[in-house]
Amino acid sequence: MKYALSAYGIVLFLILQATTACGESEPSGSAQVNGPNTASHAANPVQHSLQTPSTGQQEPKKSAASAVIISDVDHWDHPIKPYFIDRGLSKIVFPTKEYPVFYMRYDWNLTEVINDYLNGTTEAMLKANGYWDFEIRTPHHQIAVKAHERKLTRLSYDGQDQNLEQLRKEYNLIDAATNARWIKKDKKTGYFYWRSPGSTSAPSNPDDLYLNYVLSFSEKNKNGWNEYVIEMPRSSDTVVARLYAKAENGAAVFYVETGENLAWDLQQVRGLFAKRFGFKSSEAGTKYNITCDAFLMPEGLYRIRLTQKSAEQENIFYYDGNRNQYYKDTKRQSLLKKLDLS
């Protein structure tokens, strides 16, 4: 069961919750992302040449199909190995001399595979393997990673290619929208807090401060779109704030588990507009309709519609929550100081 938002828009709840390959390797390339430090042979593919007894590593075996097998993984050393330590690496098999297949004892689900891509781990693994293609096989799944010109170009899960471009675009959009619309980081403490339109100061109550902000892929929805989850653990206890997001028609849409879209900030901006320009409750409810219907990205502005019922005339204005200012245009060139509805 998911929870609705409170005062600052979020209701909190507890979470119980092979070095060269019989040939020349490519030179090392771009800086590594999110991975362990690599040794001097980081740019080489997994090694499957014979090892001397002094290394403690057993001599790779050849099967009837002439595949090379490394089964003594405890004494095998390579920059890609740290990525498999907690995932039960059992052996490395080379169907061909430059294509390692890593066998795992534990399964990796699709969510883990996609998040490894989004947080840079997959590309770091590719770099550690010298930008040579590789494959991972778990008890029930098969993951293939392929590159071209030192860039990750293909990631497949059980033979199904993942749309990397779409995933990255959605992730970046939701990340940017979250930081522009929902949360802010306090420069003094380093904690995060929920934004409130019209207020730029961090809350003084420790219960309103959060240790970190984590955006991750959640699942492929049954309707076909990708769902993402945002989690922030509170600084004062074990409570975690959580909301969900998806990309829809080029915009980030935020909601709770029940599917209810989050609109508390839109309502607050509507109220601020009415107060700033002197609309009384009865007047706003009879002569005019005031609605705040969207948060625009990348502009970082709220869009407000003011409709005069009798004339069927609509005026559109924009609000910058960081500056607490209203504008007549999205470029912030025309400041709205007073309304002239004549």
Side-chain angles (χ1 to χ4, degrees):
M1 172 176 188
K2 291 185 184 173
Y3 298 70
L5 301 178
S6 64
Y8 278 92
I10 297 297
V11 165
L12 310 175
F13 64 96
L14 295 174
I15 284 188
L16 300 174
Q17 320 225 142
T19 309
T20 48
C22 299
E24 295 183 2
S25 65
E26 300 183 22
S28 181
S30 60
Q32 181 170 337
V33 181
N34 259 10
N37 294 329
T38 58
S40 60
H41 56 299
N44 297 328
V46 172
Q47 177 169 336
H48 64 269
S49 58
L50 302 183
Q51 302 295 310
T52 60
S54 62
T55 64
Q57 182 174 340
Q58 73 178 41
E59 180 178 311
K61 302 174 182 178
K62 288 191 176 183
S63 68
S66 298
V68 177
I69 303 173
I70 296 177
S71 57
D72 186 4
V73 296
D74 290 340
H75 294 96
W76 175 71
D77 183 33
H78 192 274
I80 201 172
K81 182 179 178 179
Y83 297 97
F84 300 134
I85 288 178
D86 297 327
R87 290 169 160 176
L89 178 65
S90 61
K91 65 179 178 180
I92 306 100
V93 176
F94 293 84
T96 64
K97 66 179 182 179
E98 294 172 349
Y99 189 76
V101 180
F102 302 97
Y103 283 80
M104 303 291 154
R105 297 186 181 92
Y106 314 127
D107 270 327
W108 297 11
N109 60 40
L110 180 59
T111 297
E112 291 174 301
V113 171
I114 290 179
N115 278 315
D116 277 346
Y117 163 65
L118 291 172
N119 64 33
T121 299
T122 306
E123 291 178 277
M125 293 168 67
L126 190 60
K127 179 184 177 183
N129 196 47
Y131 298 100
W132 295 83
D133 301 344
F134 64 90
E135 188 177 312
I136 298 168
R137 293 189 186 180
T138 73
H140 301 97
H141 301 288
Q142 178 178 333
I143 302 141
V145 178
K146 297 185 180 297
H148 178 68
E149 295 182 348
R150 305 168 71 84
K151 290 183 179 180
L152 175 66
T153 57
R154 182 182 177 190
L155 175 63
S156 69
Y157 186 79
D158 290 344
Q160 183 175 358
D161 286 355
Q162 302 305 304
N163 192 328
L164 303 184
E165 183 178 356
Q166 177 186 347
L167 287 165
R168 178 59 65 193
K169 184 176 181 179
E170 291 178 347
Y171 182 92
N172 290 345
L173 172 64
I174 292 169
D175 183 47
T178 303
N179 283 276
R181 177 178 174 183
W182 291 111
I183 66 172
K184 196 168 185 177
K185 189 174 184 178
D186 182 24
K187 295 180 180 180
K188 182 179 292 187
T189 65
Y191 289 155
F192 291 88
Y193 61 92
W194 297 104
R195 289 174 179 264
S196 179
S199 175
T200 58
S201 58
S204 56
N205 188 339
D207 286 350
D208 295 325
L209 298 174
Y210 298 80
L211 294 174
N212 52 54
Y213 150 75
V214 179
L215 168 64
S216 56
F217 174 85
S218 176
E219 66 177 2
K220 283 188 175 293
N221 184 274
K222 62 183 180 181
N223 294 319
W225 42 265
N226 298 318
E227 180 179 85
Y228 300 82
V229 60
I230 297 153
E231 295 179 311
M232 298 203 307
R234 199 158 68 179
S235 65
S236 57
D237 48 35
T238 59
V239 171
V240 174
R242 179 182 292 127
L243 65 152
Y244 297 80
K246 63 180 177 179
E248 187 174 77
N249 298 323
V253 177
F254 298 88
Y255 55 96
V256 291
E257 191 169 342
T258 58
E260 177 187 356
N261 285 3
L262 305 181
W264 67 271
D265 59 327
L266 304 182
Q267 296 164 358
Q268 284 194 340
V269 170
R270 177 193 179 279
L272 288 170
F273 182 88
K275 184 177 180 180
R276 174 78 63 90
F277 298 104
F279 287 96
K280 297 178 182 179
S281 298
S282 59
E283 185 180 22
T286 56
K287 293 183 180 180
Y288 300 95
N289 280 331
I290 304 173
T291 57
C292 181
D293 66 338
F295 183 84
L296 307 179
M297 288 295 294
E299 295 88 352
L301 295 170
Y302 289 93
R303 183 175 62 202
I304 301 162
R305 298 181 183 274
L306 177 63
T307 307
Q308 188 175 7
K309 292 184 177 179
S310 60
E312 296 183 354
Q313 178 181 351
E314 182 179 67
N315 299 272
I316 299 179
F317 306 106
Y318 305 91
Y319 176 67
D320 186 332
N322 289 321
R323 303 179 183 180
N324 193 21
Q325 295 286 357
Y326 291 87
Y327 299 88
K328 299 178 182 179
D329 64 309
T330 57
K331 295 182 179 180
R332 300 177 178 86
Q333 293 179 344
S334 182
L335 187 65
L336 180 65
K337 296 183 179 180
K338 63 179 182 178
L339 290 177
D340 182 7
L341 302 176
S342 58

